[in-house]
Amino acid sequence: MTIFYEPSNGHPFPRNPFKALVVPRPIGWISTRSAAGVNNLAPHSYFNAVSDAPPVVLFSSNGAHPHGAKDTADAAISTGSFVVNIATWDLRDAMNASSAAVEPQVDEFELAGLTPIKGRLVDAPMVAEAPVKMECKTLTHVDLPHQPGGRNVTVFGEVVGVHIDEAVLEEGFLDMAKLQPIARLGYRDYAVVREVFSMDRPLGGDKAIGS
């Protein structure tokens, strides 16, 4: 038997299964610096790459926050920059600590015991401990429908600088078994990438742009 429901009318499960249906979701560990000079760091599982020429990423911030609008999107929009830090298995506890709903003046780098370092091209801080970091300039943002008391905004940024630790490379390629990025599943669950398989594209597809 298949269970059907319309999200606008609620759901018949103990917890909303939507986030468990779109998985795994890469985690954009977004760092910003507010106009007031306060460092901010938060994980966003509504995150992905949407273009490679030029390289463009997006992250979405939604829902209500006990201290008002979420800081990350506001800072990325108002200052014009942000950094995507790749969350890994070794950094899972720090990533989780940085997700705390704290007041805007709280520096999540300090909260999570992480080291902020300056970007080369943008004025947002980077997580020194993260093996991969992408400096981004904000391109635009889109406000979407939202529930009362919250906000639902998607921020697009062009990747203008990339930092990759040689420790996660193997013969010039990213080695996922060394990087071990983590991803968000549904509920309170996560996944870690340790096993990879390859498949050739049919009909010469490997020669396509972006392959």
PDB file of all heavy atoms in Angstrom, residues 68-99:
ATOM      1  N   GLY A  68      15.135  36.269  15.846  1.00  0.00           N
ATOM      2  CA  GLY A  68      14.873  37.062  14.653  1.00  0.00           C
ATOM      3  C   GLY A  68      15.373  36.377  13.401  1.00  0.00           C
ATOM      4  O   GLY A  68      15.556  35.166  13.375  1.00  0.00           O
ATOM      5  N   ALA A  69      15.587  37.146  12.334  1.00  0.00           N
ATOM      6  CA  ALA A  69      16.015  36.583  11.057  1.00  0.00           C
ATOM      7  C   ALA A  69      17.360  35.878  11.193  1.00  0.00           C
ATOM      8  O   ALA A  69      18.212  36.282  11.991  1.00  0.00           O
ATOM      9  CB  ALA A  69      16.111  37.689  10.012  1.00  0.00           C
ATOM     10  N   LYS A  70      17.540  34.809  10.426  1.00  0.00           N
ATOM     11  CA  LYS A  70      18.805  34.088  10.478  1.00  0.00           C
ATOM     12  C   LYS A  70      19.936  34.971   9.953  1.00  0.00           C
ATOM     13  O   LYS A  70      19.793  35.675   8.959  1.00  0.00           O
ATOM     14  CB  LYS A  70      18.694  32.798   9.672  1.00  0.00           C
ATOM     15  CG  LYS A  70      17.771  31.776  10.328  1.00  0.00           C
ATOM     16  CD  LYS A  70      17.812  30.430   9.614  1.00  0.00           C
ATOM     17  CE  LYS A  70      16.960  29.412  10.344  1.00  0.00           C
ATOM     18  NZ  LYS A  70      16.981  28.089   9.689  1.00  0.00           N
ATOM     19  N   ASP A  71      21.073  34.887  10.639  1.00  0.00           N
ATOM     20  CA  ASP A  71      22.169  35.820  10.375  1.00  0.00           C
ATOM     21  C   ASP A  71      22.866  35.579   9.042  1.00  0.00           C
ATOM     22  O   ASP A  71      23.295  36.522   8.377  1.00  0.00           O
ATOM     23  CB  ASP A  71      23.219  35.714  11.494  1.00  0.00           C
ATOM     24  CG  ASP A  71      22.614  35.918  12.871  1.00  0.00           C
ATOM     25  OD1 ASP A  71      21.665  36.694  12.978  1.00  0.00           O
ATOM     26  OD2 ASP A  71      23.117  35.299  13.821  1.00  0.00           O
ATOM     27  N   THR A  72      23.023  34.312   8.640  1.00  0.00           N
ATOM     28  CA  THR A  72      23.872  33.986   7.497  1.00  0.00           C
ATOM     29  C   THR A  72      23.397  34.645   6.214  1.00  0.00           C
ATOM     30  O   THR A  72      24.178  35.301   5.522  1.00  0.00           O
ATOM     31  CB  THR A  72      23.941  32.460   7.303  1.00  0.00           C
ATOM     32  OG1 THR A  72      24.376  31.848   8.509  1.00  0.00           O
ATOM     33  CG2 THR A  72      24.906  32.105   6.186  1.00  0.00           C
ATOM     34  N   ALA A  73      22.127  34.458   5.881  1.00  0.00           N
ATOM     35  CA  ALA A  73      21.614  35.034   4.638  1.00  0.00           C
ATOM     36  C   ALA A  73      21.668  36.555   4.682  1.00  0.00           C
ATOM     37  O   ALA A  73      22.050  37.200   3.691  1.00  0.00           O
ATOM     38  CB  ALA A  73      20.194  34.556   4.383  1.00  0.00           C
ATOM     39  N   ASP A  74      21.304  37.140   5.816  1.00  0.00           N
ATOM     40  CA  ASP A  74      21.338  38.597   5.927  1.00  0.00           C
ATOM     41  C   ASP A  74      22.736  39.138   5.688  1.00  0.00           C
ATOM     42  O   ASP A  74      22.921  40.125   4.976  1.00  0.00           O
ATOM     43  CB  ASP A  74      20.850  39.028   7.316  1.00  0.00           C
ATOM     44  CG  ASP A  74      19.347  38.861   7.494  1.00  0.00           C
ATOM     45  OD1 ASP A  74      18.655  38.705   6.468  1.00  0.00           O
ATOM     46  OD2 ASP A  74      18.887  38.878   8.644  1.00  0.00           O
ATOM     47  N   ALA A  75      23.741  38.488   6.281  1.00  0.00           N
ATOM     48  CA  ALA A  75      25.119  38.961   6.120  1.00  0.00           C
ATOM     49  C   ALA A  75      25.610  38.772   4.697  1.00  0.00           C
ATOM     50  O   ALA A  75      26.282  39.649   4.134  1.00  0.00           O
ATOM     51  CB  ALA A  75      26.039  38.231   7.098  1.00  0.00           C
ATOM     52  N   ALA A  76      25.282  37.624   4.080  1.00  0.00           N
ATOM     53  CA  ALA A  76      25.720  37.373   2.705  1.00  0.00           C
ATOM     54  C   ALA A  76      25.113  38.388   1.741  1.00  0.00           C
ATOM     55  O   ALA A  76      25.768  38.831   0.786  1.00  0.00           O
ATOM     56  CB  ALA A  76      25.343  35.955   2.286  1.00  0.00           C
ATOM     57  N   ILE A  77      23.873  38.758   2.004  1.00  0.00           N
ATOM     58  CA  ILE A  77      23.195  39.725   1.133  1.00  0.00           C
ATOM     59  C   ILE A  77      23.710  41.139   1.372  1.00  0.00           C
ATOM     60  O   ILE A  77      23.998  41.884   0.432  1.00  0.00           O
ATOM     61  CB  ILE A  77      21.671  39.656   1.357  1.00  0.00           C
ATOM     62  CG1 ILE A  77      21.119  38.304   0.890  1.00  0.00           C
ATOM     63  CG2 ILE A  77      20.966  40.797   0.627  1.00  0.00           C
ATOM     64  CD1 ILE A  77      19.703  38.028   1.334  1.00  0.00           C
ATOM     65  N   SER A  78      23.851  41.531   2.634  1.00  0.00           N
ATOM     66  CA  SER A  78      24.221  42.915   2.941  1.00  0.00           C
ATOM     67  C   SER A  78      25.688  43.221   2.671  1.00  0.00           C
ATOM     68  O   SER A  78      26.034  44.339   2.286  1.00  0.00           O
ATOM     69  CB  SER A  78      23.889  43.234   4.409  1.00  0.00           C
ATOM     70  OG  SER A  78      24.650  42.423   5.285  1.00  0.00           O
ATOM     71  N   THR A  79      26.570  42.223   2.854  1.00  0.00           N
ATOM     72  CA  THR A  79      27.999  42.469   2.656  1.00  0.00           C
ATOM     73  C   THR A  79      28.490  42.032   1.286  1.00  0.00           C
ATOM     74  O   THR A  79      29.569  42.435   0.855  1.00  0.00           O
ATOM     75  CB  THR A  79      28.839  41.739   3.718  1.00  0.00           C
ATOM     76  OG1 THR A  79      28.714  40.318   3.545  1.00  0.00           O
ATOM     77  CG2 THR A  79      28.374  42.121   5.117  1.00  0.00           C
ATOM     78  N   GLY A  80      27.716  41.155   0.608  1.00  0.00           N
ATOM     79  CA  GLY A  80      28.088  40.741  -0.741  1.00  0.00           C
ATOM     80  C   GLY A  80      29.054  39.582  -0.818  1.00  0.00           C
ATOM     81  O   GLY A  80      29.597  39.309  -1.892  1.00  0.00           O
ATOM     82  N   SER A  81      29.255  38.858   0.300  1.00  0.00           N
ATOM     83  CA  SER A  81      30.197  37.744   0.225  1.00  0.00           C
ATOM     84  C   SER A  81      29.901  36.700   1.298  1.00  0.00           C
ATOM     85  O   SER A  81      29.270  36.990   2.320  1.00  0.00           O
ATOM     86  CB  SER A  81      31.641  38.232   0.367  1.00  0.00           C
ATOM     87  OG  SER A  81      31.865  38.780   1.655  1.00  0.00           O
ATOM     88  N   PHE A  82      30.375  35.486   1.039  1.00  0.00           N
ATOM     89  CA  PHE A  82      30.315  34.403   2.015  1.00  0.00           C
ATOM     90  C   PHE A  82      31.315  33.340   1.611  1.00  0.00           C
ATOM     91  O   PHE A  82      31.876  33.371   0.517  1.00  0.00           O
ATOM     92  CB  PHE A  82      28.893  33.812   2.122  1.00  0.00           C
ATOM     93  CG  PHE A  82      28.347  33.207   0.850  1.00  0.00           C
ATOM     94  CD1 PHE A  82      28.491  31.852   0.572  1.00  0.00           C
ATOM     95  CD2 PHE A  82      27.653  33.991  -0.069  1.00  0.00           C
ATOM     96  CE1 PHE A  82      27.968  31.285  -0.575  1.00  0.00           C
ATOM     97  CE2 PHE A  82      27.129  33.441  -1.233  1.00  0.00           C
ATOM     98  CZ  PHE A  82      27.284  32.088  -1.488  1.00  0.00           C
ATOM     99  N   VAL A  83      31.553  32.386   2.501  1.00  0.00           N
ATOM    100  CA  VAL A  83      32.471  31.277   2.233  1.00  0.00           C
ATOM    101  C   VAL A  83      31.739  29.968   2.490  1.00  0.00           C
ATOM    102  O   VAL A  83      31.020  29.837   3.480  1.00  0.00           O
ATOM    103  CB  VAL A  83      33.746  31.355   3.108  1.00  0.00           C
ATOM    104  CG1 VAL A  83      34.613  30.104   2.919  1.00  0.00           C
ATOM    105  CG2 VAL A  83      34.550  32.611   2.782  1.00  0.00           C
ATOM    106  N   VAL A  84      31.923  29.009   1.595  1.00  0.00           N
ATOM    107  CA  VAL A  84      31.425  27.653   1.803  1.00  0.00           C
ATOM    108  C   VAL A  84      32.586  26.806   2.301  1.00  0.00           C
ATOM    109  O   VAL A  84      33.591  26.638   1.604  1.00  0.00           O
ATOM    110  CB  VAL A  84      30.854  27.042   0.507  1.00  0.00           C
ATOM    111  CG1 VAL A  84      30.427  25.592   0.756  1.00  0.00           C
ATOM    112  CG2 VAL A  84      29.684  27.864  -0.013  1.00  0.00           C
ATOM    113  N   ASN A  85      32.460  26.290   3.501  1.00  0.00           N
ATOM    114  CA  ASN A  85      33.445  25.380   4.073  1.00  0.00           C
ATOM    115  C   ASN A  85      32.859  23.976   4.023  1.00  0.00           C
ATOM    116  O   ASN A  85      31.684  23.780   4.339  1.00  0.00           O
ATOM    117  CB  ASN A  85      33.735  25.767   5.519  1.00  0.00           C
ATOM    118  CG  ASN A  85      34.116  27.227   5.675  1.00  0.00           C
ATOM    119  OD1 ASN A  85      35.264  27.597   5.548  1.00  0.00           O
ATOM    120  ND2 ASN A  85      33.128  28.078   5.966  1.00  0.00           N
ATOM    121  N   ILE A  86      33.645  22.999   3.614  1.00  0.00           N
ATOM    122  CA  ILE A  86      33.130  21.632   3.515  1.00  0.00           C
ATOM    123  C   ILE A  86      33.226  20.949   4.874  1.00  0.00           C
ATOM    124  O   ILE A  86      34.311  20.828   5.461  1.00  0.00           O
ATOM    125  CB  ILE A  86      33.898  20.830   2.450  1.00  0.00           C
ATOM    126  CG1 ILE A  86      33.705  21.490   1.078  1.00  0.00           C
ATOM    127  CG2 ILE A  86      33.410  19.382   2.430  1.00  0.00           C
ATOM    128  CD1 ILE A  86      32.262  21.603   0.616  1.00  0.00           C
ATOM    129  N   ALA A  87      32.073  20.517   5.367  1.00  0.00           N
ATOM    130  CA  ALA A  87      32.015  19.813   6.648  1.00  0.00           C
ATOM    131  C   ALA A  87      32.412  18.357   6.436  1.00  0.00           C
ATOM    132  O   ALA A  87      31.930  17.692   5.522  1.00  0.00           O
ATOM    133  CB  ALA A  87      30.607  19.901   7.236  1.00  0.00           C
ATOM    134  N   THR A  88      33.292  17.855   7.272  1.00  0.00           N
ATOM    135  CA  THR A  88      33.808  16.493   7.142  1.00  0.00           C
ATOM    136  C   THR A  88      33.535  15.691   8.416  1.00  0.00           C
ATOM    137  O   THR A  88      33.108  16.233   9.443  1.00  0.00           O
ATOM    138  CB  THR A  88      35.326  16.513   6.886  1.00  0.00           C
ATOM    139  OG1 THR A  88      35.978  17.064   8.041  1.00  0.00           O
ATOM    140  CG2 THR A  88      35.663  17.346   5.658  1.00  0.00           C
ATOM    141  N   TRP A  89      33.820  14.401   8.326  1.00  0.00           N
ATOM    142  CA  TRP A  89      33.630  13.525   9.481  1.00  0.00           C
ATOM    143  C   TRP A  89      34.382  14.026  10.707  1.00  0.00           C
ATOM    144  O   TRP A  89      33.850  14.052  11.817  1.00  0.00           O
ATOM    145  CB  TRP A  89      34.080  12.113   9.108  1.00  0.00           C
ATOM    146  CG  TRP A  89      34.083  11.139  10.239  1.00  0.00           C
ATOM    147  CD1 TRP A  89      35.163  10.677  10.936  1.00  0.00           C
ATOM    148  CD2 TRP A  89      32.937  10.508  10.834  1.00  0.00           C
ATOM    149  NE1 TRP A  89      34.767   9.784  11.914  1.00  0.00           N
ATOM    150  CE2 TRP A  89      33.397   9.664  11.865  1.00  0.00           C
ATOM    151  CE3 TRP A  89      31.558  10.565  10.572  1.00  0.00           C
ATOM    152  CZ2 TRP A  89      32.551   8.893  12.649  1.00  0.00           C
ATOM    153  CZ3 TRP A  89      30.711   9.795  11.361  1.00  0.00           C
ATOM    154  CH2 TRP A  89      31.211   8.974  12.376  1.00  0.00           C
ATOM    155  N   ASP A  90      35.630  14.450  10.510  1.00  0.00           N
ATOM    156  CA  ASP A  90      36.435  14.912  11.632  1.00  0.00           C
ATOM    157  C   ASP A  90      35.875  16.188  12.263  1.00  0.00           C
ATOM    158  O   ASP A  90      36.141  16.481  13.434  1.00  0.00           O
ATOM    159  CB  ASP A  90      37.879  15.157  11.198  1.00  0.00           C
ATOM    160  CG  ASP A  90      38.635  13.866  10.901  1.00  0.00           C
ATOM    161  OD1 ASP A  90      38.179  12.796  11.359  1.00  0.00           O
ATOM    162  OD2 ASP A  90      39.663  13.932  10.199  1.00  0.00           O
ATOM    163  N   LEU A  91      35.112  16.953  11.497  1.00  0.00           N
ATOM    164  CA  LEU A  91      34.582  18.234  11.963  1.00  0.00           C
ATOM    165  C   LEU A  91      33.100  18.162  12.319  1.00  0.00           C
ATOM    166  O   LEU A  91      32.464  19.202  12.529  1.00  0.00           O
ATOM    167  CB  LEU A  91      34.806  19.308  10.892  1.00  0.00           C
ATOM    168  CG  LEU A  91      36.272  19.649  10.590  1.00  0.00           C
ATOM    169  CD1 LEU A  91      36.362  20.550   9.369  1.00  0.00           C
ATOM    170  CD2 LEU A  91      36.918  20.323  11.793  1.00  0.00           C
ATOM    171  N   ARG A  92      32.556  16.954  12.407  1.00  0.00           N
ATOM    172  CA  ARG A  92      31.109  16.807  12.592  1.00  0.00           C
ATOM    173  C   ARG A  92      30.622  17.452  13.896  1.00  0.00           C
ATOM    174  O   ARG A  92      29.551  18.081  13.918  1.00  0.00           O
ATOM    175  CB  ARG A  92      30.713  15.329  12.539  1.00  0.00           C
ATOM    176  CG  ARG A  92      31.292  14.470  13.658  1.00  0.00           C
ATOM    177  CD  ARG A  92      31.104  12.988  13.351  1.00  0.00           C
ATOM    178  NE  ARG A  92      31.591  12.126  14.438  1.00  0.00           N
ATOM    179  CZ  ARG A  92      32.866  11.815  14.641  1.00  0.00           C
ATOM    180  NH1 ARG A  92      33.798  12.309  13.826  1.00  0.00           N
ATOM    181  NH2 ARG A  92      33.205  11.025  15.635  1.00  0.00           N
ATOM    182  N   ASP A  93      31.366  17.303  14.975  1.00  0.00           N
ATOM    183  CA  ASP A  93      30.916  17.872  16.244  1.00  0.00           C
ATOM    184  C   ASP A  93      30.968  19.402  16.217  1.00  0.00           C
ATOM    185  O   ASP A  93      30.063  20.072  16.733  1.00  0.00           O
ATOM    186  CB  ASP A  93      31.775  17.345  17.396  1.00  0.00           C
ATOM    187  CG  ASP A  93      31.522  15.866  17.680  1.00  0.00           C
ATOM    188  OD1 ASP A  93      30.393  15.402  17.420  1.00  0.00           O
ATOM    189  OD2 ASP A  93      32.450  15.174  18.144  1.00  0.00           O
ATOM    190  N   ALA A  94      31.998  19.945  15.601  1.00  0.00           N
ATOM    191  CA  ALA A  94      32.092  21.402  15.484  1.00  0.00           C
ATOM    192  C   ALA A  94      30.989  21.938  14.582  1.00  0.00           C
ATOM    193  O   ALA A  94      30.395  22.985  14.860  1.00  0.00           O
ATOM    194  CB  ALA A  94      33.463  21.795  14.940  1.00  0.00           C
ATOM    195  N   MET A  95      30.703  21.230  13.488  1.00  0.00           N
ATOM    196  CA  MET A  95      29.615  21.636  12.606  1.00  0.00           C
ATOM    197  C   MET A  95      28.297  21.658  13.362  1.00  0.00           C
ATOM    198  O   MET A  95      27.519  22.611  13.268  1.00  0.00           O
ATOM    199  CB  MET A  95      29.538  20.679  11.415  1.00  0.00           C
ATOM    200  CG  MET A  95      28.462  20.999  10.384  1.00  0.00           C
ATOM    201  SD  MET A  95      26.796  20.433  10.820  1.00  0.00           S
ATOM    202  CE  MET A  95      27.047  18.666  10.929  1.00  0.00           C
ATOM    203  N   ASN A  96      28.059  20.621  14.157  1.00  0.00           N
ATOM    204  CA  ASN A  96      26.820  20.540  14.918  1.00  0.00           C
ATOM    205  C   ASN A  96      26.737  21.659  15.947  1.00  0.00           C
ATOM    206  O   ASN A  96      25.677  22.265  16.142  1.00  0.00           O
ATOM    207  CB  ASN A  96      26.717  19.173  15.592  1.00  0.00           C
ATOM    208  CG  ASN A  96      25.337  18.900  16.142  1.00  0.00           C
ATOM    209  OD1 ASN A  96      24.330  19.172  15.500  1.00  0.00           O
ATOM    210  ND2 ASN A  96      25.279  18.354  17.339  1.00  0.00           N
ATOM    211  N   ALA A  97      27.858  21.957  16.611  1.00  0.00           N
ATOM    212  CA  ALA A  97      27.877  23.029  17.604  1.00  0.00           C
ATOM    213  C   ALA A  97      27.550  24.372  16.977  1.00  0.00           C
ATOM    214  O   ALA A  97      26.889  25.217  17.594  1.00  0.00           O
ATOM    215  CB  ALA A  97      29.245  23.077  18.294  1.00  0.00           C
ATOM    216  N   SER A  98      27.983  24.579  15.741  1.00  0.00           N
ATOM    217  CA  SER A  98      27.753  25.868  15.077  1.00  0.00           C
ATOM    218  C   SER A  98      26.310  26.043  14.621  1.00  0.00           C
ATOM    219  O   SER A  98      25.932  27.119  14.158  1.00  0.00           O
ATOM    220  CB  SER A  98      28.696  26.028  13.880  1.00  0.00           C
ATOM    221  OG  SER A  98      28.332  25.157  12.811  1.00  0.00           O
ATOM    222  N   SER A  99      25.501  24.986  14.742  1.00  0.00           N
ATOM    223  CA  SER A  99      24.101  25.081  14.337  1.00  0.00           C
ATOM    224  C   SER A  99      23.200  25.617  15.446  1.00  0.00           C
ATOM    225  O   SER A  99      21.995  25.777  15.247  1.00  0.00           O
ATOM    226  CB  SER A  99      23.583  23.707  13.892  1.00  0.00           C
ATOM    227  OG  SER A  99      23.454  22.824  14.998  1.00  0.00           O
TER     228      SER A  99
END
